[in-house]
Structure formats: structure tokens, C-alpha cells
Amino acid sequence: NTPLISGRMKTGTPLIGQADIPTLHQLRIAFKRLRYALEFFEEVLGPEARMVIKETKIAQDHLGDLQDAQVVSGVMRDLLDQHNERYSGVPVFMRPDMSGVLAYASAKEDEKRALYETVPPLWDAFVRDEVRQGVGLAIAAL
């Protein structure tokens, strides 16, 4: 096991960049719970709570979009597999045109890849000093 330093391995490699999509989905759920807790107690927290809620929502939405793209990609793969199975003995030119489905599936894969690749900068933005201090100051108001 490599020891952690501020959410990073000693090598400097961000752990978040190594997470798979199901793990990032669990992180989204954790962000959702944090956001709901902050919103529930917002009236008694310090004014910094609003900024922390906003940053939490940004992370939650990004990870939610990633999960949605993952689900749609899976559905598109299944649909294309079923289509290929159903028409396996039929010449390609006689099969229903799936070019729109293929284009949509490709676009979703591109979206998923782009969202996944931007998770590390999203994480870095969330754990920056301003947000961490905001959490501390919001809670200190209690």
C-alpha cells in the first residue's frame, strides 16, 4: 500500500484519476449526501456554506453526467449487440439502417471519455484551499 498525502499517492499521481466509473458513481452519491446535509443546515452554518454547496453541486452534476453517459453507452452497446444477433444471417445492405444509433453511441462514448478525463481537475477544484477553508468556516459558525 502506498501512503497517501492529501488524497494523492507519494508519487504525485492523483488517486481520483485511477478510479473506475462505478467508484466515481459512489463518489457522486457521497457528494449528493454532503450537499443535502449542507443545504439542510445552511441556515445555521456560516455564509461560506453557500459557496461550498455550489462547489459540491458542480462536482455532483459532473459525476452524474458521467454516470448517465456510462448507462447510455451500455444501453447502446446492448441494442447494437441485439441488432447484430437478430440480423446475423442477413446481408448488411438488407439490414435496418443503424447509422443514427451508431453515431449516437459514438457521441456518448466521446462524452463519457471527456467527462472521465476531466474528473481529476474537477477534484482538484473541489479540494482547493478556498473550498476546504469554506467548509471549516461554515462549520465553525455552529
Side-chain angles (χ1 to χ4, degrees):
N1 290 340
T2 305
L4 299 178
I5 299 174
S6 301
R8 296 180 180 270
M9 294 189 310
K10 278 189 174 182
T11 62
T13 305
L15 291 175
I16 200 79
Q18 299 171 8
D20 60 11
I21 293 177
T23 300
L24 293 173
H25 179 59
Q26 293 303 311
L27 180 61
R28 182 193 76 80
I29 292 168
F31 271 116
K32 180 176 163 180
R33 289 179 178 148
L34 173 61
R35 177 179 160 210
Y36 290 168
L38 290 168
E39 287 175 343
F40 184 78
F41 290 104
E42 185 176 2
E43 290 180 21
V44 295
L45 295 173
E48 298 80 9
R50 177 78 346 233
M51 179 269 297
V52 176
I53 290 168
K54 179 183 170 199
E55 294 295 327
T56 303
K57 185 178 183 326
I58 290 168
Q60 177 189 343
D61 288 348
H62 185 100
L63 295 169
D65 290 344
L66 175 60
Q67 178 64 20
D68 291 348
Q70 170 79 347
V71 169
V72 170
S73 290
V75 169
M76 292 293 99
R77 263 191 317 277
D78 291 347
L79 177 67
L80 290 166
D81 288 347
Q82 289 171 8
H83 172 79
N84 289 334
E85 207 174 289
R86 182 174 183 185
Y87 293 99
S88 65
V90 178
V92 174
F93 70 90
M94 293 180 68
R95 295 179 185 188
D97 180 17
M98 297 295 282
S99 60
V101 173
L102 288 167
Y104 183 70
S106 178
K108 279 299 171 182
E109 281 296 321
D110 290 346
E111 177 185 359
K112 181 173 73 170
R113 188 177 312 103
L115 288 164
Y116 182 79
E117 289 171 355
T118 55
V119 168
L122 172 83
W123 180 255
D124 288 343
F126 185 77
V127 298
R128 71 186 190 275
D129 287 344
E130 179 186 357
V131 177
R132 292 162 37 133
Q133 289 170 356
V135 171
L137 291 170
I139 293 171
L142 293 175

